């Protein structure tokens, strides 16, 4: 990022002097970043308001509270110097594992449905999903691991060591099992390895081994099914989702129902949509999980293709600004943090929208800054705070 203009003459225009003064007084401000965040969050709130109206199980005021809490945490993290965290690899690993495994504690964890033990309940407080919060610690873990290699990781033993450490959270999340969140962890790890300078040969070998491992899981599970009568490695609902992805018309009133209703909602929106609060798929109860997993369908039905393009433009603006912040980082730790945050959002955006249109398997991955929920919203604001911290402390260092 370019440096601020130097004021060397008393004849400098008053506007430039005032701008420089404001920047020195509030060095943490990044106006384009803040404006895009405000527009994106506000847009998401409008869609959520339409989605929850008339549904007693959801509260728009609670979503506002989530945004308020997230904003406070974002500011606190933004003002914190992220560089102080670069050497806490072990702590990030321990915290990540503790968060992910906490739903297994008797009396604390709750069943999220279909056998996934992903949530915890603390008395009268709303239930939260620790695996979502662990996305932050996973990002910090991966960034701290890769920062040790200074942008060059070409030793096979060191690569396997780093990869092994970064895969521990994925192994833990699969004990719930939560494949959707696990895929996010894997994508974050992939981004960290690429940005952190891992040798391309190692990355290709890892990808090939991963593909073989997936095939092996399905093959072994079939053998287990033939001998015991049930699948052990993958849950039946996970297999059903993959089956629906491969054969969308296999069971339109059963396993394919969610996908069909999502596609109907998106297709019926047309160019400009039916109008806010005028959608029928979610108001008639035909679209399941409209406030969370399928919130994009509500947007597409009510605001149409134009509304979808507005959302994508806001996402693109946020990503481009984050790229500039990553490019301005003077240390690898900060760069990996920013790029892993961007990678996390991009994967969730592509997966959430992709599953709605049938291009990706259906998972429970929320749409960033739009889907209803406290855990995901607060997590995204904390991530914004870390990205803002990278920008602020690198700008100060350049002076």
């Amino acid at each position: 990022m370019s440096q601020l203009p130097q004021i060397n003459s008393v004849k400098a225009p008053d506007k430039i002097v005032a701008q420089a003064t404001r920047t020195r007084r509030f060095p943490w401000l990044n106006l384009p970043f803040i404006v895009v965040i405000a527009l994106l969050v506000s847009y998401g709130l409008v869609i959520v308001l339409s989605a929850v109206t008339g549904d007693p199980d959801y509260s728009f005021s609670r979503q506002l509270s989530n945004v308020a809490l997230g904003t406070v945490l974002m500011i606190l993290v933004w003002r914190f110097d992220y560089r102080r965290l670069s050497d806490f690899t072990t702590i990030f690993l321990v915290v990540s594992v503790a968060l992910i495994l906490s739903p297994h504690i008797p009396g604390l964890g709750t069943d999220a449905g279909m056998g996934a033990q992903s949530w915890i309940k603390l008395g009268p407080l709303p239930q939260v999903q620790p695996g979502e919060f662990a996305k932050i610690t996973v990002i910090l873990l991966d960034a701290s691991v890769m920062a040790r290699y200074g942008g060059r990781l070409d030793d096979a033993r060191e690569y396997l060591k780093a990869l092994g450490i970064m895969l521990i959270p994925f192994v833990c999340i699969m004990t719930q099992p939560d494949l959707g969140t696990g895929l996010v962890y894997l994508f974050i790890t992939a981004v960290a390895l690429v940005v952190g300078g891992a040798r391309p040969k190692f990355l290709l070998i890892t990808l090939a081994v991963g593909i073989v491992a997936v095939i092996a899981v399905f093959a072994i599970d079939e053998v287990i099914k033939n001998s015991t009568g049930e699948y052990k490695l993958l849950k039946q609902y996970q297999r059903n989702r993959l089956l629906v992805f491969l054969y969308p018309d296999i069971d339109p009133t059963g396993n394919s129902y969610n996908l069909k209703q999502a596609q109907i909602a998106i297709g019926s929106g047309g160019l400009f949509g039916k109008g806010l609060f005028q959608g029928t798929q979610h108001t008639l109860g035909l679209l399941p999980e409209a406030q969370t997993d399928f919130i994009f369908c509500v947007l597409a039905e009510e605001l149409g293709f134009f509304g979808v393009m507005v959302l994508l433009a806001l996402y693109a603006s946020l990503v481009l600004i984050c790229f500039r912040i990553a490019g301005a980082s003077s240390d690898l730790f900060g760069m990996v943090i920013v790029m892993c945050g961007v990678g996390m959002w991009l994967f969730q955006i592509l997966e959430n929208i992709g599953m709605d249109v049938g291009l990706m398997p259906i998972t429970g991955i929320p749409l960033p800054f739009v889907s209803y929920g406290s855990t995901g919203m607060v997590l995204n604001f904390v991530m914004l705070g870390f990205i803002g911290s990278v920008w602020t402390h690198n700008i100060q260092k350049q002076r």
Side-chain angles (χ1 to χ4, degrees):
M1 182 172 289
S2 60
Q3 296 182 354
L4 296 171
Q6 299 296 320
I7 310 301
N8 298 321
S9 172
V10 296
K11 296 181 180 180
D14 293 339
K15 183 182 294 185
I16 297 179
V17 174
Q19 181 181 359
T21 303
R22 286 195 303 270
T23 306
R24 293 192 186 99
R25 188 177 302 171
F26 304 106
W28 53 278
L29 284 178
N30 183 326
L31 288 181
F33 190 44
I34 294 175
V35 169
V36 170
I37 293 170
L39 291 175
L40 180 57
V41 173
S42 299
Y43 197 56
L45 286 174
V46 172
I47 305 305
V48 168
L49 176 60
S50 178
V52 304
T53 299
D55 192 330
D57 295 330
Y58 296 90
S59 170
F60 181 69
S61 60
R62 179 179 172 184
Q63 187 74 347
L64 288 176
S65 300
N66 298 333
V67 172
L69 174 60
T71 302
V72 172
L73 293 177
M74 179 187 71
I75 294 174
L76 293 176
V77 174
W78 195 319
R79 302 300 300 273
F80 177 78
D81 190 347
Y82 73 96
R83 294 170 294 188
R84 298 180 183 179
L85 302 175
S86 60
D87 297 325
F88 293 106
T89 305
T90 303
I91 294 178
F92 293 140
L93 179 59
V94 172
V95 172
S96 297
V97 172
L99 284 171
I100 296 169
L101 296 182
S102 60
H104 293 298
I105 300 176
L108 184 63
T110 60
D111 196 318
M114 293 183 286
Q117 193 83 2
S118 305
W119 300 76
I120 61 174
K121 179 72 173 176
L122 298 173
L125 297 176
Q127 63 180 14
V128 297
Q129 192 173 6
E132 283 288 313
F133 286 125
K135 291 176 182 176
I136 294 293
T137 55
V138 168
I139 289 175
L140 295 175
L141 167 67
D142 291 358
S144 63
V145 169
M146 297 309 298
R148 296 184 175 187
Y149 299 100
R152 185 181 179 87
L153 180 53
D154 52 11
D155 181 84
R157 290 184 178 181
E158 289 298 318
Y159 175 80
L160 290 176
K161 178 183 176 181
L163 180 63
I165 293 174
M166 292 189 286
L167 286 180
I168 291 176
F170 172 76
V171 174
C172 292
I173 200 69
M174 292 309 297
T175 64
Q176 296 182 1
D178 186 349
L179 181 59
T181 304
L183 291 175
V184 177
Y185 292 171
L186 288 181
F187 197 80
I188 289 172
T189 298
V191 172
L193 289 171
V194 172
V195 177
R199 191 174 177 181
K201 177 182 176 180
F202 297 159
L203 297 176
L204 292 176
I205 293 175
T206 303
L207 178 60
V209 171
I211 294 174
V212 172
V214 171
I215 297 174
V217 166
F218 280 94
I220 295 173
D221 220 10
E222 284 295 335
V223 174
I224 296 175
K225 172 68 163 54
N226 293 333
S227 60
T228 65
E230 61 179 345
Y231 295 110
K232 297 293 185 180
L233 300 181
L234 291 175
K235 298 291 184 179
Q236 185 61 52
Y237 77 91
Q238 294 173 329
R239 286 181 165 272
N240 291 341
R241 288 175 173 179
L242 181 61
L243 193 62
V244 168
F245 170 63
L246 296 175
Y247 307 101
D249 300 319
I250 190 171
D251 187 11
T253 61
N255 295 321
S256 301
Y257 177 81
N258 291 1
L259 175 59
K260 291 301 180 183
Q261 296 304 318
Q263 292 176 336
I264 291 173
I266 294 173
S268 64
L271 187 59
F272 295 105
K274 300 176 181 178
L276 279 174
F277 308 100
Q278 303 301 316
T280 55
Q281 287 297 104
H282 70 92
T283 56
L284 295 177
L286 300 175
L287 182 66
E289 305 297 335
Q291 297 81 6
T292 53
D293 298 347
F294 293 95
I295 190 72
F296 175 79
C297 301
V298 177
L299 165 64
E301 182 182 18
E302 298 189 349
L303 298 181
F305 179 77
F306 177 78
V308 169
M309 294 307 297
V310 170
L311 177 65
L312 295 181
L314 291 173
Y315 279 141
S317 299
L318 177 62
V319 169
L320 290 176
I321 292 174
C322 289
F323 281 166
R324 292 191 61 189
I325 293 175
S329 177
S330 58
D331 65 300
L332 184 61
F333 181 59
M335 179 183 295
V336 175
I337 287 177
V338 177
M339 294 307 297
C340 283
V342 172
M344 175 184 70
W345 288 328
L346 285 177
F347 181 80
Q348 294 186 181
I349 293 168
L350 293 175
E351 169 58 32
N352 185 279
I353 297 177
M355 75 177 187
D356 292 339
V357 298
L359 296 179
M360 299 287 282
I362 293 178
T363 63
I365 294 179
L367 190 60
F369 303 103
V370 180
S371 289
Y372 181 95
S374 57
T375 310
M377 184 63 74
V378 173
L379 155 76
N380 289 325
F381 271 101
V382 172
M383 191 67 246
L384 289 172
F386 274 109
I387 294 174
S389 177
V390 173
W391 180 84
T392 296
H393 293 92
N394 278 283
I395 289 299
Q396 288 178 332
K397 188 175 181 178
Q398 291 176 10
R399 292 173 179 165

